Amino acid sequence: MHKIITNLNSIKEELKTKIVDYDKLNVIAVSKTFSLNQIQPLIDHGHLHYGENKVQEALEKWSEIKKINNDIKLHMIGKLQSNKVKFAVKLFDYIHSVDSEKLANKIASEEIKIGRKLKIFAQVNIGEEQQKSGINKNEIKDLILFCKDIKLDLIGLMCIPPDYKDPTNYFKEMSEINRSFGFSDLSMGMSSDYLNAAVNSATYLRIGSGIFGPRD
Ligand SMILES: *Cc1c(COP(=O)(O)O)cnc(C)c1O
């Protein structure tokens, strides 16, 4: 069996034995920087959720394959520039990185234009780091209300906790905030901390190197 399939299977096995709500978990294979050739074995294996962080790269890799495989779900997990929203709304099924009313508005109007509805996460800068994207904690409520007003299908919150720190408390805090707004989906956890995130009620795990191996 191909190495990346073995990797994915052992991650899923681990989650299955340790997470009670395993059935609610979705593993997004983060395929950024990997070529379609490298991803193909996982597609052939039947895996459906893939994550990319650049619109241009995603367009080149996924436009054709998504036409012939309707079940594939593509997740935009990186920062989304206003001028790329048009292309993103056509291609992606989920956007995890909504962090302003301006971006939310742009997405909503593109959705209406082409009659397509994406699932949306609002990104929270849970570590309140200057260099990180995402809204601050005190802005969450306003953004959620705004998204509801403009009829975005907001399904939960997303975060990338600070590097090189124990993420446990950030995950716990995200889980509480997410629940307080009545969301049942939560996007958090990467290769180094997906189990911790899943224990703290993440439902979408974004796993790249743990499946595909190290990126250059
Ligand atoms: C690259 C990336 C991931 C995956 O990171 P790995 O450490 O390779 O699992 C997850 N989330 C976001 C937002 C990313 O940009």
Side-chain angles (χ1 to χ4, degrees):
M1 203 183 284
H2 201 286
K3 180 85 173 105
I4 62 174
I5 299 173
T6 323
N7 289 343
L8 176 64
N9 283 344
S10 55
I11 289 169
K12 285 163 95 175
E13 278 310 312
E14 183 188 19
L15 291 167
K16 205 177 276 179
T17 57
K18 294 186 175 152
I19 304 298
V20 182
D21 279 336
Y22 174 78
D23 290 343
K24 293 188 184 147
L25 286 179
N26 301 281
V27 175
I28 302 170
V30 176
S31 50
K32 64 186 186 193
T33 78
F34 293 98
S35 69
L36 195 53
N37 265 343
Q38 292 167 297
I39 307 164
Q40 194 69 50
L42 216 52
I43 299 173
D44 296 340
H45 180 66
H47 188 72
L48 295 178
H49 291 273
Y50 296 88
E52 295 283 343
N53 69 340
K54 295 205 171 81
V55 174
Q56 189 56 38
E57 179 185 344
L59 278 170
E60 285 162 20
K61 274 152 68 172
W62 292 99
S63 293
E64 288 309 309
I65 198 105
K66 277 199 89 215
K67 276 182 205 152
I68 54 174
N69 192 335
N70 260 322
D71 296 330
I72 287 179
K73 302 290 180 219
L74 205 56
H75 297 254
M76 175 56 183
I77 61 171
K79 191 162 182 62
L80 181 54
Q81 246 82 49
S82 265
N83 60 342
K84 302 277 172 66
V85 169
K86 189 168 99 183
F87 306 103
V89 169
K90 262 189 212 131
L91 180 70
F92 287 95
D93 300 286
Y94 293 72
I95 295 175
H96 292 238
S97 47
V98 171
D99 64 355
S100 71
E101 295 187 358
K102 181 171 168 246
L103 181 57
N105 239 337
K106 187 93 209 233
I107 292 169
S109 71
E110 289 300 330
E111 285 186 344
I112 291 165
K113 254 187 225 163
I114 64 167
R116 201 160 186 264
K117 204 113 180 111
L118 281 68
K119 293 189 190 304
I120 305 291
F121 288 97
Q123 182 171 353
V124 177
N125 185 357
I126 192 65
E128 299 185 318
E129 299 168 280
Q130 207 120 72
Q131 77 281 13
K132 279 253 172 87
S133 303
I135 47 169
N136 292 324
K137 281 185 271 180
N138 60 2
E139 302 167 316
I140 298 174
K141 189 174 179 194
D142 284 347
L143 184 61
I144 290 175
L145 291 177
F146 184 81
C147 289
K148 282 191 178 147
D149 264 1
I150 61 171
K151 308 266 186 308
L152 277 189
D153 187 10
L154 188 67
I155 63 168
L157 302 177
M158 175 273 207
C159 80
I160 308 170
D163 301 332
Y164 315 115
K165 274 196 192 172
D166 182 348
T168 309
N169 288 334
Y170 296 110
F171 287 160
K172 286 193 190 310
E173 191 176 2
M174 283 295 296
S175 171
E176 273 166 37
I177 299 171
N178 204 59
R179 197 174 321 114
S180 77
F181 286 106
F183 293 125
S184 43
D185 283 302
L186 177 57
S187 167
M188 61 185 195
M190 317 191 350
S191 296
S192 57
D193 54 19
Y194 60 83
L195 192 58
N196 192 341
V199 166
N200 289 294
S201 60
T203 59
Y204 285 83
L205 311 171
R206 311 178 309 262
I207 306 179
S209 49
I211 295 172
F212 293 104
R215 289 178 294 271
D216 304 324

